[in-house]
Amino acid sequence: MFISSALTLLTGNLSLLEEYALKHNLETALYRPGDPIFTEGGSVDGVYYIVNQYARIVRQNENGEGIFLFTAASRELIGLTSFLQREKRYSCSAIAGERSCSAIFFPRAAFSGLLQQQPGLRHELMQVLCKRIRWIEIRTKSMLHQNTDRRLTDTLLFLWKMENDGSRSASSSSARICYSPAELAGMIGTSEDYLKKRLGEMRSRGLIDFGKDWMVILNADRLRI
């Protein structure tokens, strides 16, 4: 199962966004692990451009529980859907991942002005949103056709990859991730009780270790088998 939306803007427009931020002295904010970048229900006052690391995009269900939607990686814009649909409130929340995440905030007026100056950018952003919708459809179908154990393994390997990318050697077989069993259960669509049972089995085999709000992947190579 592929979790990240893996959607970034083209190189030319990436330079455009970064140059605009420098020219207009837009600040880059640092968010510690678990810090909200923006929250569901908050006023839509602009969009955020992730400079490095990544953010979790989540939405609350009817019980007020956070449901994982996707991971937005570096060089992605978040808050974009609510902005382009002219919503007054963000329809989801963005939370910094397990490593500190930095992002540039583009205020509504500034980003609207940029889109007017660069019509090609608006067109590309619409393509990004269409691809993101398509990705969510693919993810939903994959979850329907994979058993729970396969979804669990694929998700753990993805989180291991996210932690290793840009933070340590790509050959490292272990990684600590700050996701709780409850969050992981929401990602793969299963009960927390069943997930803890499977995680316990993996721990007894020396593949992982876990606690209330953390997890350590001890051997990704063996996990793949």
Side-chain angles (χ1 to χ4, degrees), residues 3 31 33 54 66 74 77 82 100 113 115 127 159 169 174 179 186 210:
I3 297 180
Y31 300 90
Y54 64 94
S74 60
L77 284 166
S82 294
S100 295
L115 293 181
Q127 290 181 320
L159 295 175
S169 170
S174 64
Y179 281 82
F210 68 96

Side-chain angles (χ1 to χ4, degrees), residues 67-88:
I67 302 300
F68 176 85
L69 298 179
F70 62 90
T71 297
S74 60
R75 296 188 170 184
E76 287 193 64
L77 284 166
I78 53 177
L80 185 60
T81 302
S82 294
F83 177 87
L84 292 178
Q85 291 183 343
R86 299 181 180 179
E87 297 174 347
K88 294 183 178 180

Side-chain angles (χ1 to χ4, degrees), residues 86-100:
R86 299 181 180 179
E87 297 174 347
K88 294 183 178 180
R89 305 286 179 183
Y90 287 113
S91 58
C92 57
S93 298
I95 303 170
E98 63 264 21
R99 287 185 173 270
S100 295

Side-chain angles (χ1 to χ4, degrees), residues 114-124:
L114 180 60
L115 293 181
Q116 291 177 356
Q117 297 170 16
Q118 303 290 337
L121 176 59
R122 175 181 287 274
H123 176 72
E124 185 180 345

Side-chain angles (χ1 to χ4, degrees), residues 98-99 159-165 167-168 175-176:
E98 63 264 21
R99 287 185 173 270
L159 295 175
W160 165 83
K161 183 178 185 302
M162 290 293 294
E163 171 64 17
N164 275 278
D165 283 352
S167 62
R168 64 181 74 187
R176 181 184 178 91

Side-chain angles (χ1 to χ4, degrees), residues 114-148:
L114 180 60
L115 293 181
Q116 291 177 356
Q117 297 170 16
Q118 303 290 337
L121 176 59
R122 175 181 287 274
H123 176 72
E124 185 180 345
L125 292 178
M126 295 305 296
Q127 290 181 320
V128 166
L129 290 180
C130 289
K131 289 179 181 179
R132 184 169 286 170
I133 292 171
R134 176 57 180 161
W135 172 83
I136 292 175
E137 291 176 348
I138 292 172
R139 176 173 179 258
T140 301
K141 289 180 180 179
S142 71
M143 291 184 69
L144 291 174
H145 293 92
Q146 286 180 327
N147 62 40
T148 303

Side-chain angles (χ1 to χ4, degrees), residues 134-224:
R134 176 57 180 161
W135 172 83
I136 292 175
E137 291 176 348
I138 292 172
R139 176 173 179 258
T140 301
K141 289 180 180 179
S142 71
M143 291 184 69
L144 291 174
H145 293 92
Q146 286 180 327
N147 62 40
T148 303
D149 291 347
R150 181 72 263 172
R151 295 200 303 269
L152 172 58
T153 300
D154 286 352
T155 301
L156 289 174
L157 288 172
F158 168 77
L159 295 175
W160 165 83
K161 183 178 185 302
M162 290 293 294
E163 171 64 17
N164 275 278
D165 283 352
S167 62
R168 64 181 74 187
S169 170
S171 63
S172 176
S173 183
S174 64
R176 181 184 178 91
I177 55 177
C178 297
Y179 281 82
S180 67
E183 288 178 309
L184 191 59
M187 289 185 198
I188 66 176
T190 190
S191 70
E192 187 176 351
D193 288 341
Y194 178 80
L195 179 67
K196 286 183 176 179
K197 177 182 177 182
R198 294 294 293 119
L199 292 178
E201 294 171 356
M202 289 183 172
R203 179 162 56 187
S204 67
R205 293 163 54 198
L207 300 177
I208 68 163
D209 194 10
F210 68 96
K212 181 179 179 180
D213 57 2
W214 59 271
M215 193 172 302
V216 176
I217 298 173
L218 300 173
N219 195 317
D221 294 331
R222 287 181 57 200
L223 191 60
R224 291 191 182 95

